[in-house]
Amino acid sequence: MTSILTNTSAMSALQTLRAIGADLADTQDRVSSGYRVSEASDNVAYWSISTTMNSDNKAINAASDALGVGAAKVDTAYAAMESAIDVVDEIKAKLVTATEDSTDKTQIQLEITKLQEQLSAVAQAASFSGENWMVAADDADPAVVVDGFIRNADGTVKVTTAEFAVASYAMFGTMNDGVGGEGILGSVMNVTLESQSSVTEIQGFLDDVESALAGLTDAGAALGALITRIDLQDEFAATLSDAIETGVSRLVDADMEEESAKLSALQTQQQLAIQSLSIANSSSQNILSLFQG
């Protein structure tokens, strides 16, 4: 039966055209955005995972940036430590020279005094962003370096840190009017030669200097170990960030080759659906021929 009030063929063709139009719009959106899951309605599970992992990745990158600041602090302290070792070596050499009876110990002390001043200057200069690890009191809290961000199995998050015992490894415990005291180098700053200083006294100063060198060596080793950890963590953070980005990409990124093929097919289907609708609409006009005499 043909009706002039209801064109079922046109209705069917229109529904098909609408469905193709919706699919075409979705495909065009994927092509333009590059995502097959761009919002929760596209895929709740994948969208939830990608949102959480992208947030964690930003936190990891932030921790990596903080790690860079920590690395700068460690490098600054290590540079000061190396310089201090060189200066203490010089003081040690001057003391060995002073053990010879014919030397002018007063003149040697003038040189040692300048070297002691250099130690104070090195310690004061070992500051990064207002933080100095080379001058710290005996009860100072450990210096903390942020080195990572982790998400636990129960969903809680945690920022991981590395510590450096500044109280144990500081060159000086105090700094008064630019002169360092206490700490690893406190005994070195007390070295004072006089013209009548005996070999025994000089030997005592040498023992103090040797003890200070051992302390500086231990501190340098601790800083070196921290530098190694920071370098490894920095490399790991970069690798982890890349892995997370790759994993999220597999969940939400559109396959552009596939979407391109779909787009071409849907455009063709849309054209055919429009022609089908046009044919269905024209069928009603054929009824006119039934009433022509």
Side-chain angles (χ1 to χ4, degrees), residues 209-287:
V209 169
E210 195 64 31
S211 177
L213 278 173
L216 290 174
T217 301
D218 290 343
L223 286 170
L226 186 54
I227 290 173
T228 300
R229 175 176 176 180
I230 288 174
D231 289 342
L232 290 173
Q233 182 64 23
D234 191 40
E235 182 179 350
F236 170 70
T239 303
L240 180 60
S241 179
D242 290 344
I244 290 175
E245 288 184 6
T246 301
V248 171
S249 174
R250 290 173 178 171
L251 295 178
V252 302
D253 287 0
D255 184 335
M256 298 308 290
E257 291 85 356
E258 180 182 349
E259 298 302 331
S260 176
K262 284 183 179 179
L263 184 62
S264 297
L266 287 169
Q267 287 173 338
T268 301
Q269 291 176 33
Q270 185 182 50
Q271 293 173 2
L272 292 173
I274 291 173
Q275 291 181 4
S276 177
L277 180 60
S278 176
I279 293 172
N281 285 331
S282 65
S283 64
S284 297
Q285 298 177 356
N286 295 332
I287 299 177

Side-chain angles (χ1 to χ4, degrees), residues 6-293:
T6 303
N7 189 334
T8 56
S9 297
M11 293 171 60
S12 177
L14 181 59
Q15 289 177 353
T16 301
L17 182 60
R18 286 173 176 169
I20 293 173
D23 291 341
L24 184 60
D26 290 341
T27 302
Q28 288 175 331
D29 182 64
R30 290 170 184 161
V31 170
S32 61
S33 68
Y35 291 107
R36 67 185 177 93
V37 180
S38 59
E39 54 188 27
S41 59
D42 295 331
N43 187 308
V44 175
Y46 285 177
W47 178 85
S48 177
I49 293 172
S50 65
T51 300
T52 300
M53 295 311 298
N54 281 330
S55 176
D56 286 356
N57 200 24
K58 288 181 181 179
I60 291 171
N61 290 330
S64 183
D65 292 340
L67 192 64
V69 175
K73 294 177 183 179
V74 176
D75 290 342
T76 300
Y78 187 78
M81 194 68 67
E82 282 192 316
S83 179
I85 289 174
D86 291 339
V87 174
V88 175
D89 281 342
E90 287 294 323
I91 294 176
K92 179 180 177 179
K94 299 302 179 184
L95 289 173
V96 171
T97 301
T99 58
E100 172 60 44
D101 291 338
S102 62
T103 56
D104 188 338
K105 297 179 178 60
T106 303
Q107 293 299 319
I108 293 176
Q109 178 57 39
L110 290 176
E111 294 181 284
I112 290 176
T113 299
K114 293 301 179 183
L115 292 171
Q116 290 169 331
E117 292 174 356
Q118 178 63 17
L119 289 174
S120 296
V122 167
Q124 289 184 96
S127 176
F128 184 88
S129 189
E131 189 171 346
N132 192 328
W133 292 5
M134 294 295 97
V135 180
D138 291 340
D139 58 351
D141 294 330
V144 177
V145 176
V146 174
D147 67 355
F149 172 88
I150 59 175
R151 179 176 291 278
N152 298 314
D154 60 0
T156 59
V157 297
K158 179 182 178 181
V159 175
T160 60
T161 59
E163 294 185 349
F164 180 74
V166 293
S168 300
Y169 296 122
M171 291 163 55
F172 294 112
T174 60
M175 187 66 65
N176 297 316
D177 297 328
V179 179
E182 301 179 2
I184 293 176
L185 297 179
S187 59
V188 176
M189 300 299 287
N190 295 327
V191 172
T192 305
L193 290 179
E194 298 177 351
S195 58
Q196 301 302 319
S197 294
S198 65
V199 174
T200 302
E201 291 175 327
I202 296 174
Q203 184 60 53
F205 291 143
L206 277 170
D207 291 341
D208 291 339
V209 169
E210 195 64 31
S211 177
L213 278 173
L216 290 174
T217 301
D218 290 343
L223 286 170
L226 186 54
I227 290 173
T228 300
R229 175 176 176 180
I230 288 174
D231 289 342
L232 290 173
Q233 182 64 23
D234 191 40
E235 182 179 350
F236 170 70
T239 303
L240 180 60
S241 179
D242 290 344
I244 290 175
E245 288 184 6
T246 301
V248 171
S249 174
R250 290 173 178 171
L251 295 178
V252 302
D253 287 0
D255 184 335
M256 298 308 290
E257 291 85 356
E258 180 182 349
E259 298 302 331
S260 176
K262 284 183 179 179
L263 184 62
S264 297
L266 287 169
Q267 287 173 338
T268 301
Q269 291 176 33
Q270 185 182 50
Q271 293 173 2
L272 292 173
I274 291 173
Q275 291 181 4
S276 177
L277 180 60
S278 176
I279 293 172
N281 285 331
S282 65
S283 64
S284 297
Q285 298 177 356
N286 295 332
I287 299 177
L288 295 175
S289 63
L290 298 175
F291 298 94
Q292 292 177 353

